């Protein structure tokens, strides 16, 4: 008998609500809260059983505390904006509620992916006897658990880790973004960064790239080295790792559009004087592009996210690849969201289930790889994100 | 002793004014007229001798007639917008002044390049005893004269004609247009069209393309088959031509930008509701792009425009290539415009010179290939657009 509050009513919030609603034996009561309560009501109307909704400005700690004290949930699932993580953690501490999120805190005005702000809450959560589970999405989240699982069952030591995120879906539009195009641009134009022998190495944007042959009929795609937040926690908690990298697929078409839009100044946030009005080009671009929510029913194809770990077992060098294949159309049929939201929302539900069932417990702030991977991995198979481990004995191109 | 009125104070108008001002023995008096007289004054201030300026709305026939009757020029050089050709022809007829332009009339609301509207003035000009010279720019213009020159001196019959326009200049910006991006888009997205055995053949946009190796160190560039207005008059006046085509170079980068801008709706003229205001995306795009006038001093490199004619001379098959090379920076140093405006403006001056010197004379409406090419060709060499003819005895890739 547990009550959960989901804060955030975007694509991921919808998936979390659907998946929690499917498990009434774990999530007895569900509250959906958002700045815009009407978005919660739209999601609620899709669900197989009644849930309640609430309005909350999660930037306002006092307002969130008041809602938490009124609703008395056992756990908050934070799938709001990453800018709001600290305010919601503060509210949970004050109201005495456990906390879970899917993406680490970013200061509003800079794209800085670092755990330092949330790790600084370690003592507060420990003293309060509360648990905070960080990054319980797919990447970060499942990728951390995959790594812990390989370490527990397949390798005594992991020396080289490559996390590879492939979206082989096609929405049929010439160009559209799954989320804020500015964030996309910043990701793509930022330097890459990876862990090598105890230090971070930087690479020029998109410089490190290669072709990788994905399973399940997806075939070869170009992958690009980027920084991603789970690299920070995994290399901290598995200090034996000599090199850890994160790769993402981008189609040539996608990169072409981002390049041109950047070239003509369309991604700028500097206002332009136009017909007596100040217009921010990026805002106007958003108005031209398809609404990301409209892409769900259009998107076909698969995602493939996984980890390749090279290491040793009983003194012998071994390489394993562990991954999930997710189908956009199957996700949409089940929860009215495509696979990008689905692969983030399902692990949030499972992380919450781990906490409510006390399979994962303990006061303090936790990253996913610090906890026992086995029950989480079982639930991935059971609740929509089945995985497989294959031993690699042929070159994959990821050896160097 | 002659007086000329130049209507239009854009880039081409500036070049025509410069070139006419350099020849006081032909162009004794010069009047620059434009809707915006201040633009005329800017040009006038650059010139080596005094010229007068005037304000005129060339869409308004009565206003233009009044100006012509007041100023009494011998000839109007129309380098205003193509939409205004007919109104200016009407004004010239009414005021009893000869007429010259560089681009054929287009109805304001459709991109239709056809001579029919201007050819319909044949009887009016003949009866008035006035001369109208159509299309005295480079292409149309010099390309028509090149064709007539090859026919007069090198080939008894021309069977295959390829007009090839290459701008190998580089302004150093990621993307900018020399003129209205909407016109660019329409050109590039329009079907190609060429003359073959007495009929027009259509091709899908950009479908017909190939590499052509340009002279003067420019080297190989991709050329794309397009429709261009001189094909209509040349195939009418040289009915022996079996096939006539027009090709233009576009860089991959330029085509990439146009494609992306089209994809995201940025070239649309349909208003978009944005922050309570109707915004036309194409207008906003223009506001983002560099001012074309700002590109003049930045542009480096060459243009190469010419004709390849295959035919017979004394029963023997022969192929000739006649072309001009123009350097953007040299043009800018001379007349403060780059080669795109220069190559259009110089032939307008020479066409006017032909008429004022009575080397070209005759009541009615004329296309360039109908007149004796020799004095015009001499003046091209003398006044900034030197040409050469080479006999081709190796395959150029244009045989088919």
């Amino acid at each position: 008998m547990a009550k959960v509050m989901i804060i955030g009513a975007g694509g991921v919030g919808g998936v979390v609500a659907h998946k929690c609603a499917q498990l009434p034996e774990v999530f007895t009561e569900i509250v959906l809260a958002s700045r815009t309560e009407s978005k919660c009501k739209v999601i609620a109307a899709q669900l197989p059983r009644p849930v309640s909704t609430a309005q909350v400005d999660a930037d306002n700690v006092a307002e969130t505390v008041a809602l938490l004290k009124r609703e008395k949930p056992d756990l908050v699932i934070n799938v709001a904006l990453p800018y709001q993580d600290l305010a919601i953690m503060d509210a949970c501490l004050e109201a005495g509620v456990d906390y879970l999120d899917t993406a680490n805190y970013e200061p509003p005005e800079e794209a800085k992916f670092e755990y330092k702000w949330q790790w600084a809450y370690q003592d507060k959560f420990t003293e309060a006897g509360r648990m905070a589970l960080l990054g319980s999405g797919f990447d970060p989240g499942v990728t951390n658990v995959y790594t812990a699982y390989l370490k527990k069952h397949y390798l005594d030591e992991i020396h080289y880790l490559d996390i590879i995120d492939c979206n082989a879906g096609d929405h049929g539009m010439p160009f559209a973004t799954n989320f804020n195009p500015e964030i996309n641009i910043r990701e793509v134009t930022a330097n890459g960064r990876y862990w090598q022998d105890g230090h971070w190495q930087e690479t020029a944007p998109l410089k490190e790239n290669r072709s990788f042959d994905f399973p399940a009929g997806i075939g070869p795609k170009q992958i690009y080295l980027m920084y991603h937040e789970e690299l920070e926690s995994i290399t901290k908690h598995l200090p034996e790792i000599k090199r850890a990298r994160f790769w993402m697929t981008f189609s040539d078409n996608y990169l072409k559009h981002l390049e041109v839009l950047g070239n003509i100044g369309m991604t700028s946030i500097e206002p332009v004087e136009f017909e007596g009005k100040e217009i921010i080009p990026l805002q106007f671009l958003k108005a031209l592009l398809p609404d990301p929510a409209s892409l769900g029913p259009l998107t076909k194809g698969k995602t493939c996210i996984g980890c390749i770990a090279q290491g040793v077992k009983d003194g012998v060098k071994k390489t394993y690849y562990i991954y999930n294949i997710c189908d956009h159309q199957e996700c949409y049929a089940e929860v009215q969201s495509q696979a990008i939201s689905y692969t983030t929302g399902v692990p949030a539900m499972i992380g919450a289930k781990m906490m409510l069932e006390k399979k994962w417990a303990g006061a303090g702030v936790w990253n996913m790889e610090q906890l026992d991977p086995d029950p989480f991995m079982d639930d991935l198979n059971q609740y929509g994100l089945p995985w497989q481990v294959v031993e690699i004995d042929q070159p994959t191109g990821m050896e160097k």
Side-chain angles (χ1 to χ4, degrees), chain A:
Chain A
M1 301 296 284
K3 181 171 181 175
V4 71
M5 181 182 291
I6 301 164
I7 301 182
V12 176
V15 174
V16 176
H18 272 273
K19 300 302 286 194
C20 289
Q22 289 171 11
L23 288 180
E25 66 277 19
V26 178
F27 304 96
T28 324
E29 278 186 77
I30 300 169
V31 186
L32 304 180
S34 164
R35 189 187 307 268
T36 312
E37 191 178 355
S38 60
K39 293 168 74 180
C40 300
K41 291 188 186 294
V42 169
I43 294 169
Q46 299 170 357
L47 302 180
R49 65 186 172 103
V51 301
S52 57
T53 64
Q55 196 279 331
V56 68
D57 172 6
D59 291 323
N60 184 326
V61 175
E63 198 178 299
T64 309
V65 168
L67 177 66
L68 290 173
K69 288 191 171 170
R70 194 163 71 240
E71 293 286 347
K72 298 188 178 57
D74 298 287
L75 171 66
V76 163
I77 300 176
N78 166 20
V79 284
L81 297 172
Y83 315 125
Q84 303 178 299
D85 287 358
L86 299 189
I88 296 174
M89 290 174 87
D90 285 330
C92 284
L93 282 171
E94 191 171 335
V97 180
D98 287 342
Y99 171 90
L100 175 155
D101 68 31
T102 63
N104 69 7
Y105 173 74
E106 292 169 44
E109 291 307 316
E110 39 179 342
K112 265 204 155 175
F113 307 103
E114 277 188 67
Y115 275 115
K116 67 177 179 190
W117 294 282
Q118 291 185 279
W119 283 343
Y121 278 66
Q122 185 63 264
D123 290 347
K124 290 184 194 170
F125 271 82
T126 305
E127 285 158 20
R130 287 291 152 199
M131 181 174 186
L133 181 62
L134 305 184
S136 187
F138 205 109
D139 44 339
V142 175
T143 50
N144 308 50
V145 176
Y146 280 172
T147 305
Y149 185 79
L150 291 177
K151 164 83 175 173
K152 181 172 177 180
H153 298 290
Y154 287 84
L155 293 164
D156 299 325
E157 287 193 350
I158 294 175
H159 293 159
Y160 304 102
L161 177 68
D162 285 290
I163 303 171
I164 310 179
D165 181 333
C166 168
N167 178 7
D170 181 7
H171 46 56
M173 315 292 280
F175 183 69
T177 56
N178 287 311
F179 52 102
N180 188 328
E182 187 191 357
I183 304 285
N184 274 212
I185 305 267
R186 283 205 288 211
E187 278 187 359
V188 171
T189 56
N191 280 339
R193 192 146 53 106
Y194 66 98
W195 184 256
Q196 175 84 51
D197 299 323
H199 298 93
W200 293 109
Q201 304 289 332
E202 296 237 333
T203 59
L206 305 181
K207 180 76 185 305
E208 269 295 311
N209 66 87
R210 56 186 68 173
S211 181
F212 184 78
D213 193 4
F214 288 94
I218 294 173
K221 301 268 175 196
Q222 205 67 12
I223 59 174
Y224 294 84
L225 189 149
M226 295 172 62
Y227 182 66
H228 221 245
E229 61 200 69
E230 64 264 51
L231 297 177
E232 186 182 12
S233 72
I234 291 173
T235 55
K236 178 184 175 184
H237 295 124
L238 285 81
E240 78 229 38
I241 292 178
K242 296 176 183 173
R243 186 187 65 213
R245 301 178 294 196
F246 181 93
W247 307 82
M248 190 173 276
T249 56
F250 296 108
S251 73
D252 290 347
N253 182 59
Y254 183 83
L255 294 176
K256 176 174 80 177
H257 280 72
L258 286 189
E259 180 202 346
V260 166
L261 294 172
N263 279 347
I264 64 160
M266 198 64 191
T267 55
S268 169
I269 54 171
E270 286 297 310
V272 169
E273 176 83 22
F274 180 71
E275 295 178 359
K277 191 171 151 62
E278 298 265 288
I279 290 189
I280 294 173
L282 181 63
Q283 298 295 335
F284 186 65
L285 174 60
K286 283 191 208 167
L288 287 182
L289 294 180
D291 176 4
S294 72
L295 303 176
L298 303 175
T299 306
K300 296 173 183 179
K302 294 178 164 62
T303 62
C304 175
I305 319 176
C307 301
I308 295 179
Q310 305 174 55
V312 290
K313 178 70 172 178
D314 301 327
V316 179
K317 285 188 180 181
K318 295 274 186 183
T319 301
Y320 292 96
Y321 182 25
I322 181 167
Y323 62 87
N324 161 260
I325 300 289
C326 198
D327 183 277
H328 285 289
Q329 289 176 291
E330 289 173 14
C331 294
Y332 195 80
E334 182 191 337
V335 300
Q336 295 179 245
S337 287
Q338 29 77 325
I340 306 295
S341 298
Y342 191 89
T343 52
T344 306
V346 172
M349 178 279 284
I350 295 173
K353 181 168 175 285
M354 294 295 105
M355 291 170 76
L356 295 174
E357 292 175 340
K358 309 293 178 201
K359 289 175 181 167
W360 286 3
V365 169
W366 299 84
N367 291 97
M368 305 283 284
E369 66 275 14
Q370 297 178 272
L371 298 152
D372 179 12
D374 292 348
F376 193 99
M377 292 292 278
D378 288 344
D379 277 0
L380 285 172
N381 275 329
Q382 188 151 1
Y383 298 112
L385 294 175
W387 47 269
Q388 50 190 304
V389 185
V390 289
E391 184 172 351
I392 302 279
D393 50 12
Q394 298 290 323
T396 61
M398 305 309 293
E399 291 75 18
K400 286 190 179 172

